[in-house]
């Protein structure tokens, strides 16, 4: 099943890896368990991603 929630532990390559999910009356997945990223880790990842984008821009 296609899934856009890449912060769910069941997400893999734009798909849910569960065999079955449950949706609430708003259509939101009740099976979702979101991962938690510390602010320090998020800051590091943002910086790393920005450096990669800037390197690509410089190569063009």
């Amino acid at each position: 099943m296609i899934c856009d929630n890449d912060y769910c532990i069941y997400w893999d390559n734009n798909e849910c890896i569960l065999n079955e999910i449950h949706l609430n009356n708003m259509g939101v997945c009740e099976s979702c368990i979101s991962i938690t990223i510390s602010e320090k880790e998020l800051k590091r990842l943002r910086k790393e991603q920005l450096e990669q984008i800037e390197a690509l821009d410089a190569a063009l």
Side-chain angles (χ1 to χ4, degrees), residues 30-47:
E30 291 183 338
S31 303
C32 177
I33 300 174
S34 295
I35 61 171
T36 303
I37 300 174
S38 70
E39 189 62 35
K40 182 179 178 180
E41 181 69 4
L42 187 56
K43 186 176 181 178
R44 183 190 69 75
L45 291 168
R46 284 184 181 129
K47 181 180 178 190

Side-chain angles (χ1 to χ4, degrees), residues 3 5-12 16 18 29 31-35:
C3 178
N5 188 354
D6 53 348
Y7 285 98
C8 178
I9 64 169
Y10 301 118
W11 182 94
D12 185 34
C16 181
L18 293 175
C29 180
S31 303
C32 177
I33 300 174
S34 295
I35 61 171

